[in-house]
Amino acid sequence: MYAERASRLTGAVVWTHTPTVPGSGRVLPDGCMDLLWHEGRLLVAGPDTRAHLTAGSSGAWAGVRFPPGTAPALLGLPARELRDRRVGLDDLWPAARVRRLTARVNAAPDPATGLEEAALSRAADADPPDPLLGRLVAALDAGRPVAATADELGLSARQLHRRALTAFGYGPKTLARVLRLQRALALARAGTSLAETAVRSGYADQAHLARDVRELAGVPPGELLARQG
């Protein structure tokens, strides 16, 4: 069973998940990074460029999903170092610091609340999010071309790519592709036909949509929607 709610940390989402049936799950690329709790341990989910299969892991999970581009400032390392990875927080931070934080999360009324409190505390000590990153995400999510977006932000293509690698883990073209996938899935799940979804999401046609879904999600659109319906 999966549930989520808006976090008190601006733009973030707090979620919980307890698998109810055996088998692997499929986490799709969304431009975000997560701080995770699982069986008393803290982990970090880096930015995905393809579907992550959970391999039927049992037990309850909790997480805080950070808005695109914001987690690196909180974690203290560039997103590119965590691309397509799930790692223990103790692999990133000093062991003593992680032990203290883990104890705080485990002592909270529930792990999700403990994670949210930890994220809020960390955000209070970190620099505020770079507003340029928010503008970049908004432009690409609206379907703006990468080159035009770079011009609007006053950056060269190389500067934009470097900033994107640090903030999102991959270049702006990949970010645009991931955001387009999420737009398409939202429309399709709401009942929009795949042909209309393709047009409204910025794909050349339905075949283009199908190729992108298969490459990013690992399964055809129909199968993906049936699994997550």
Side-chain angles (χ1 to χ4, degrees):
M1 181 177 180
Y2 176 84
E4 67 176 41
R5 63 172 173 82
S7 172
R8 287 177 288 149
L9 181 64
T10 302
V13 171
V14 178
W15 58 268
T16 57
H17 177 56
T18 302
T20 56
V21 294
S24 63
R26 188 175 298 271
V27 180
L28 302 183
D30 58 6
C32 301
M33 295 173 59
D34 294 57
L35 177 63
L36 308 172
W37 174 94
H38 180 58
E39 297 183 340
R41 187 182 180 213
L42 300 184
L43 306 98
V44 174
D48 293 322
T49 60
R50 58 186 180 273
H52 172 76
L53 300 182
T54 58
S57 53
S58 60
W61 289 79
V64 174
R65 183 176 305 118
F66 299 104
T70 61
L74 302 180
L75 296 173
L77 77 167
R80 64 177 179 272
E81 295 186 10
L82 295 173
R83 182 173 56 233
D84 293 318
R85 297 177 64 198
R86 304 294 188 273
V87 300
L89 188 60
D90 51 7
D91 289 333
L92 308 176
W93 288 1
R97 181 181 179 189
V98 175
R99 282 196 299 270
R100 291 193 298 269
L101 182 58
T102 302
R104 284 175 51 195
V105 173
N106 289 334
D110 59 82
T113 298
L115 285 176
E116 183 179 30
E117 292 293 342
L120 287 165
S121 176
R122 179 61 184 159
D125 294 333
D127 293 332
D130 183 350
L132 182 143
L133 298 177
R135 292 169 58 197
L136 171 59
V137 171
L140 297 181
D141 197 28
R144 294 286 293 153
V146 171
T149 299
D151 288 341
E152 291 163 3
L153 296 176
L155 298 174
S156 68
R158 182 174 296 181
Q159 288 172 326
L160 181 63
H161 189 80
R162 185 168 61 247
R163 297 278 285 269
L165 282 178
T166 298
F168 309 108
Y170 35 63
K173 290 184 178 180
T174 298
L175 176 61
R177 194 176 177 212
V178 166
L179 295 174
R180 183 175 60 185
L181 171 71
Q182 290 295 327
R183 291 198 306 275
L185 292 177
L187 287 169
R189 288 168 181 153
T192 305
S193 71
L194 289 179
E196 179 66 17
T197 290
V199 172
R200 293 173 57 182
S201 302
Y203 292 92
D205 51 30
Q206 186 175 337
H208 183 199
L209 166 64
R211 288 195 303 272
D212 229 38
V213 170
R214 185 183 288 274
E215 290 177 12
L216 292 173
V219 293
E223 182 178 342
L224 178 65
L225 293 169
R227 289 184 179 188
Q228 299 190 350

